[in-house]
């Protein structure tokens, strides 16, 4: 019988450092770690439907909102399938519920990973540091991220991300990427994973809460 692979879900705002931590985990953790996060899923999403699951808070794309829960469900089912076949998975998202109407996406996704080893990690970063990273640019992603200007140091979409991405969420572990390198963040996540043991995960608690409601 194949032993289920470990799942790590990173949640945070764009430019908070999630992708760098994913890379550090793949490079430093034992075993095979598959990256099934938002960037890779966006790459297979038709251009007309982008940013797809990366849609920012604010209800700006009501034309694609109705299909986003299905996209997330399909991706989480894929994460579960990889784990059941023995692959470890690390995936980074920007979960929020600030759409034109509540979509309850995370509440739907969490039960899809029931009975699988999963750790939910909150990736925090002060908005000042996020703006430094945005304003510095990102090779290959020119024009993708809102940047500050003399008239608007912190664009409204960036402020919305900061407000909504961790709203009302519980995590198994949280980390501030302004205080540690990606490698150090990965190391701390690994240590937290080793200490988690058989305690109910945040996803289990969300699943049971939904079942009871």
């Amino acid at each position: 019988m194949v032993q289920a692979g470990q799942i790590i879900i990173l949640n945070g705002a764009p430019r908070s450092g999630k992708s760098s931590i994913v890379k550090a985990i793949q490079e430093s953790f034992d075993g095979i770690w598959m990256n099934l996060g938002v960037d890779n899923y966006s790459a297979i999403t038709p251009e007309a439907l982008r940013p797809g699951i990366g849609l920012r808070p604010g209800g700006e794309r009501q034309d694609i909102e109705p299909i986003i829960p299905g996209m997330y469900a399909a991706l989480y089912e894929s994460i579960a399938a990889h784990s059941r076949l023995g692959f470890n998975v690390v995936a980074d998202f920007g979960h929020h519920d600030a759409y034109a109407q509540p979509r309850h996406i995370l509440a739907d996704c969490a039960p899809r990973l029931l009975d699988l080893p999963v750790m939910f990690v909150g990736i925090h970063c002060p908005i000042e540091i996020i703006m430094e990273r945005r304003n510095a640019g990102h090779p290959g992603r020119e024009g993708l991220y809102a940047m500050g200007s003399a008239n608007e140091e912190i664009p409204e979409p960036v402020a919305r991300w900061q407000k909504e991405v961790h709203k009302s969420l519980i995590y198994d572990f949280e980390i501030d990427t302004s205080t540690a390198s990606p490698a150090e963040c990965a190391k701390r996540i690994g240590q937290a994973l080793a200490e988690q043991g058989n305690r109910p995960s945040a996803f289990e608690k969300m699943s049971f809460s939904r079942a009871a409601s």
Side-chain angles (χ1 to χ4, degrees), residues 44-120:
I44 64 169
T45 301
E47 285 195 22
L49 302 180
R50 294 178 187 174
I53 65 171
L55 182 63
R56 64 194 184 189
E60 301 172 346
R61 290 290 307 276
Q62 296 182 43
D63 57 319
I64 67 172
E65 269 194 29
I67 68 170
I68 291 177
M71 286 181 166
Y72 264 114
L75 183 49
Y76 268 80
E77 289 289 348
S78 180
I79 290 171
H82 278 73
S83 173
R84 291 190 180 102
L85 289 170
F87 293 101
N88 302 308
V89 176
V90 56
D92 61 306
F93 299 114
H95 275 295
H96 66 84
D97 206 25
Y99 297 97
Q101 64 184 63
R103 300 290 176 179
H104 309 294
I105 290 171
L106 191 54
D108 173 74
C109 289
R112 299 177 189 277
L113 303 186
L114 266 183
D115 302 322
L116 295 171
V118 56
M119 170 173 273
F120 192 34

Side-chain angles (χ1 to χ4, degrees), residues 63-209:
D63 57 319
I64 67 172
E65 269 194 29
I67 68 170
I68 291 177
M71 286 181 166
Y72 264 114
L75 183 49
Y76 268 80
E77 289 289 348
S78 180
I79 290 171
H82 278 73
S83 173
R84 291 190 180 102
L85 289 170
F87 293 101
N88 302 308
V89 176
V90 56
D92 61 306
F93 299 114
H95 275 295
H96 66 84
D97 206 25
Y99 297 97
Q101 64 184 63
R103 300 290 176 179
H104 309 294
I105 290 171
L106 191 54
D108 173 74
C109 289
R112 299 177 189 277
L113 303 186
L114 266 183
D115 302 322
L116 295 171
V118 56
M119 170 173 273
F120 192 34
V121 182
I123 305 299
H124 299 271
C125 186
I127 197 166
E128 295 79 13
I129 303 299
I130 285 179
M131 286 310 305
E132 286 181 13
R133 295 172 180 173
R134 283 176 173 267
N135 293 337
H138 190 119
R141 296 187 179 184
E142 291 79 3
L144 183 62
Y145 297 113
M147 302 171 71
S149 66
N151 296 326
E152 190 178 35
E153 291 186 7
I154 301 176
E156 178 59 28
V158 180
R160 284 201 303 269
W161 267 120
Q162 201 77 353
K163 175 184 176 183
E164 300 291 344
V165 74
H166 299 296
K167 194 172 184 179
S168 303
L169 295 183
I170 57 172
Y171 293 105
D172 298 301
F173 185 66
E174 299 178 72
I175 197 163
D176 183 343
T177 61
S178 70
T179 64
S181 67
E184 179 61 27
C185 288
K187 181 179 178 180
R188 293 181 189 177
I189 291 170
Q191 292 169 341
L193 197 59
E195 296 168 0
Q196 186 177 24
N198 294 321
R199 294 195 305 270
S201 70
F203 269 34
E204 287 179 289
K205 294 173 184 175
M206 281 187 271
S207 299
F208 295 148
S209 175

